[in-house]
Amino acid sequence: MVSVLQTIDSGHEDLIHGAEIDYYGLNLATCSSDNSIKIFDIKNGGQRLKADLKGHGGPVWQLSWAHPKFGNILASCSYDRKVILWKENNGEWTKYYEYNNHDSSVNSVAFAPSEYGLILACGSSDGTISILTCNTETGMFDVKKITNAHTIGCNALSWCPSSLPDAAFDQRSKQNASTNGTQTQIKRFVSGGCDNTVKIWKEDGDRWVEEHKLEVHSDWIRDVAWAPSIGLPSSRIASCSQDRRVIIWNTDDLSTWTPTILNTFDDVVWNVSWSLTGNILGVSGGDNKISLWKENNDGVWSCISEDAENAKEHQRQM
């Protein structure tokens, strides 16, 4: 059963669009149509406002925390076409970097796995995706842009985990390791857009190329989530759409992706999110419900928990 552990009075003056807890679960960042970002200390069940960040000139859609090895860094994106990286130094949050090279609303930001460095992907309504790579020694950013990534616009991004399948499970990995001595994983991420497609991108030298286009949805993609790796030689992506469906995409070789419709809901589905072990999927949407889904040994997905009442109460408060 889904239950409420803690309620935060954010103090935002308009709709809240994003809420992200940091790596250690100590800080909560929220963003809103009131153009602001708030950071709360939530350790030990408390709530203390640490920062009220104002730098955007429009609704702030999404947030992403960087890995703490790079310090306390938070990325935000907004209708004002900007991406801002905020950094905490000695308890003070200030603007670390601002990127303003999109021609329309920036809808999604996602930091890459920390093993790759400090890298941020940004998806925009102008149809492009920007990849920002920071040289942590100089603080300078290199920018690569994928033009025409999604017609009309890109709504969501999620990175492929950095960890490779364990050779104990995957004979291909064992063979490659023994043949080449080392393994180098290609950077990948998944995106979803207003062209109803889910696309997988990979780094190819100094550019990013489309590796796969996954087409089953019949309306705008609202969220995508690449499942965490648990060492098995398989990958899994969840996507949700205004067509009211959640689709699970599975592959054993990153070449052939097989879709499974998890469920058709009563309204648009806005968000999908995996558990840390990658075997439970959280789903929320316009039906004001939050549900958890798990796959059984026969490959059949079923709802294991649902919380409609708390979701409705949250909707009334918003």
Side-chain angles (χ1 to χ4, degrees), residues 104-116:
S104 191
S105 172
V106 184
N107 305 317
S108 185
V109 284
F111 276 108
S114 61
E115 292 83 355
Y116 297 148

Side-chain angles (χ1 to χ4, degrees), residues 10-299:
S10 70
H12 281 294
E13 298 174 357
D14 209 330
L15 291 175
I16 297 172
H17 297 291
E20 296 288 335
I21 295 175
D22 69 358
Y23 182 85
Y24 292 118
L26 301 178
N27 296 295
L28 169 70
T30 61
C31 60
S32 167
S33 277
D34 65 9
N35 304 355
S36 75
I37 300 155
K38 295 179 186 289
I39 300 175
F40 299 89
D41 181 336
I42 59 170
K43 62 176 176 285
N44 301 322
Q47 173 190 335
R48 179 177 66 87
L49 181 63
K50 297 177 65 177
D52 187 356
L53 306 178
K54 301 183 185 299
H56 286 290
V60 186
W61 301 130
Q62 197 174 70
L63 304 166
S64 180
W65 288 97
H67 191 280
K69 69 188 276 186
F70 303 110
N72 280 343
I73 297 177
L74 180 72
S76 59
C77 63
S78 168
Y79 181 79
D80 67 2
R81 303 178 293 179
K82 294 179 183 178
V83 174
I84 298 178
L85 271 65
W86 310 85
K87 188 170 185 177
E88 181 186 29
N89 285 302
N90 299 319
E92 294 294 323
W93 284 87
T94 57
K95 191 180 296 184
Y96 177 57
Y97 177 74
E98 181 175 309
Y99 178 68
N100 54 11
N101 198 24
H102 279 288
D103 298 324
S104 191
S105 172
V106 184
N107 305 317
S108 185
V109 284
F111 276 108
S114 61
E115 292 83 355
Y116 297 148
L118 187 59
I119 302 176
L120 183 72
C122 319
S124 171
S125 289
D126 64 13
T128 67
I129 298 172
S130 295
I131 312 297
L132 315 180
T133 302
C134 178
N135 183 324
T136 53
E137 293 184 359
T138 64
M140 301 295 291
F141 281 81
D142 173 73
V143 179
K144 291 184 173 59
K145 210 167 189 180
I146 304 172
T147 58
N148 301 316
H150 288 278
T151 307
I152 308 176
C154 175
N155 296 325
L157 301 163
S158 181
W159 286 85
C160 174
S162 61
S163 58
L164 289 163
D166 193 309
F169 294 101
D170 188 358
Q171 294 302 314
R172 290 168 300 178
S173 295
K174 185 180 294 184
Q175 182 178 1
N176 290 340
S178 61
T179 301
N180 302 325
T182 59
Q183 296 183 66
T184 302
Q185 187 182 16
I186 298 172
K187 299 184 186 73
R188 288 180 171 88
F189 66 87
V190 60
S191 64
C194 301
D195 54 5
N196 308 347
T197 67
V198 173
K199 294 185 177 182
I200 297 172
W201 306 87
K202 72 174 183 178
E203 188 178 40
D204 182 13
D206 62 351
R207 64 193 184 109
W208 288 85
V209 297
E210 180 185 312
E211 186 175 29
H212 296 289
K213 181 190 291 187
L214 309 180
E215 298 178 286
V216 172
H217 285 293
S218 58
D219 209 333
W220 288 14
I221 311 298
R222 281 302 177 182
D223 199 12
V224 290
W226 204 308
S229 171
I230 57 173
L232 297 175
S234 61
S235 288
R236 175 174 287 172
I237 292 170
S239 61
C240 65
S241 166
Q242 289 186 194
D243 67 9
R244 303 183 292 118
R245 294 185 292 177
V246 171
I247 295 176
I248 309 296
W249 308 85
N250 290 286
T251 184
D252 291 328
D253 55 10
L254 293 173
S255 296
T256 303
W257 291 84
T258 303
T260 299
I261 298 175
L262 177 138
N263 190 46
T264 301
F265 292 82
D266 295 330
D267 207 331
V268 54
V269 186
W270 295 112
N271 296 107
V272 285
S273 179
W274 292 100
S275 64
L276 291 176
T277 52
N279 64 334
I280 296 176
L281 183 71
V283 179
S284 62
D287 59 3
N288 294 336
K289 294 178 181 178
I290 302 166
S291 56
L292 300 180
W293 297 76
K294 189 173 183 179
E295 184 184 26
N296 65 20
N297 293 333
D298 296 323

